[in-house]
Amino acid sequence: GAVVSQHPSRVICKSGTSVKIECRSLDFQATTMFWYRQFPKKSLMLMATSNEGSKATYEQGVEKDKFLINHASLTLSTLTVTSAHPEDSSFYICSAREELPYEQYFGPGTRLTVT
Amino acid sequence: GQNIDQPTEMTATEGAIVQINCTYQTSGFNGLFWYQQHAGEAPTFLSYNVLDGLEEKGRFSSFLSRSKGYSYLLLKELQMKDSASYLCAVVDSNYQLIWGAGTKLIIKP
């Protein structure tokens, strides 16, 4: 199956700093990428949908100025958590979608801890 | 609104069979996925159903009834490594994935 990489896998940062997470589709072109957040023992929460070359579509309640998403190419999307706070600590997962059958391939996730 | 229902938690015995149900009400339907997620890891693809009926893949099978808005994932010959959360997700009319909350499956020896 298709492979999606995510970097870094784990990051610890201090409150007030910014963190960038990269998501890459390694063997296919992903016109659409998704960013999810997952709290312990909870299901995936969609944060935003990004299409290559256009602005991301954010879900209700997700601050677009805090979670900056860039989808500059068909194989790369980045999520930047700006001015991170401890409540931003979470498991962030990206996925990339092929057109048919619209299956999403997930990256391995990034565990963010803000101290 | 859109809604996906699946049991929160299930327990089964190693070597047995377990069926995890998923019911959905969504705006449109373009397929249903089952994903497996181990703790601390990203989900991995298990199955995709878009037509009614049973799809078998090794120890795992998935069933779909579109008229009933119902699917199940059947796991046979359970192994300890099958302990995980199982997520049901429906592709709606906008081709977006609507996620269920997941079913945590606990396998006991």
Side-chain angles (χ1 to χ4, degrees):
Chain A
V3 178
V4 175
S5 71
Q6 200 170 328
H7 177 79
S9 58
R10 289 180 179 271
V11 58
I12 300 173
C13 70
K14 293 186 176 181
S15 187
T17 61
S18 295
V19 174
K20 180 185 283 189
I21 303 170
E22 290 187 351
C23 178
R24 293 181 185 272
S25 57
L26 298 184
D27 53 1
F28 69 100
Q29 293 185 328
T31 53
T32 306
M33 288 187 170
F34 303 86
W35 286 96
Y36 292 89
R37 182 174 179 177
Q38 189 173 35
F39 294 98
K41 300 181 180 180
K42 298 290 185 183
S43 187
L44 300 169
M45 182 191 80
L46 180 65
M47 298 175 66
T49 302
S50 74
N51 293 294
E52 186 262 340
S54 61
K55 291 183 178 180
T57 302
Y58 289 80
E59 295 299 301
Q60 193 172 11
V62 178
E63 299 175 61
K64 62 181 180 181
D65 294 330
K66 180 169 184 61
F67 298 99
L68 300 178
I69 292 172
N70 183 280
H71 192 162
S73 75
L74 286 172
T75 58
L76 173 65
S77 177
T78 60
L79 167 68
T80 302
V81 183
T82 62
S83 187
H85 288 101
E87 56 264 33
D88 298 326
S89 297
S90 192
F91 192 45
Y92 292 87
I93 308 173
C94 74
S95 70
R97 186 177 77 181
E98 290 187 300
E99 288 307 310
L100 288 172
Y102 301 102
E103 178 185 345
Q104 291 185 22
Y105 300 98
F106 287 89
T110 297
R111 176 76 59 191
L112 171 64
T113 303
V114 184
T115 60
Chain B
Q2 310 209 84
N3 195 49
I4 310 269
D5 286 315
Q6 46 182 135
T8 304
E9 186 173 295
M10 299 182 71
T11 303
T13 304
E14 189 177 16
I17 299 173
V18 71
Q19 177 175 310
I20 303 173
N21 296 324
C22 171
T23 58
Y24 61 90
Q25 298 100 36
T26 56
S27 58
F29 179 84
N30 284 295
L32 184 146
F33 289 98
W34 282 97
Y35 283 87
Q36 179 191 61
Q37 186 178 26
H38 285 100
E41 298 180 10
T44 55
F45 170 80
L46 288 179
S47 67
Y48 172 72
N49 294 69
V50 66
L51 299 176
D52 290 348
L54 186 68
E55 297 272 347
E56 297 185 75
K57 190 184 296 184
R59 293 189 299 114
F60 293 5
S61 302
S62 57
F63 172 83
L64 174 67
S65 170
R66 289 171 296 172
S67 62
K68 296 182 179 178
Y70 168 69
S71 173
Y72 68 72
L73 180 69
L74 190 72
L75 292 77
K76 303 177 184 177
E77 302 169 16
L78 286 170
Q79 301 174 9
M80 297 303 293
K81 66 178 182 179
D82 297 331
S83 292
S85 287
Y86 291 85
L87 304 171
C88 172
V90 172
V91 185
D92 71 6
S93 57
N94 294 318
Y95 295 98
Q96 300 298 322
L97 271 181
I98 310 300
W99 292 89
T103 298
K104 182 179 180 181
L105 178 62
I106 300 169
I107 309 296
K108 295 186 175 180

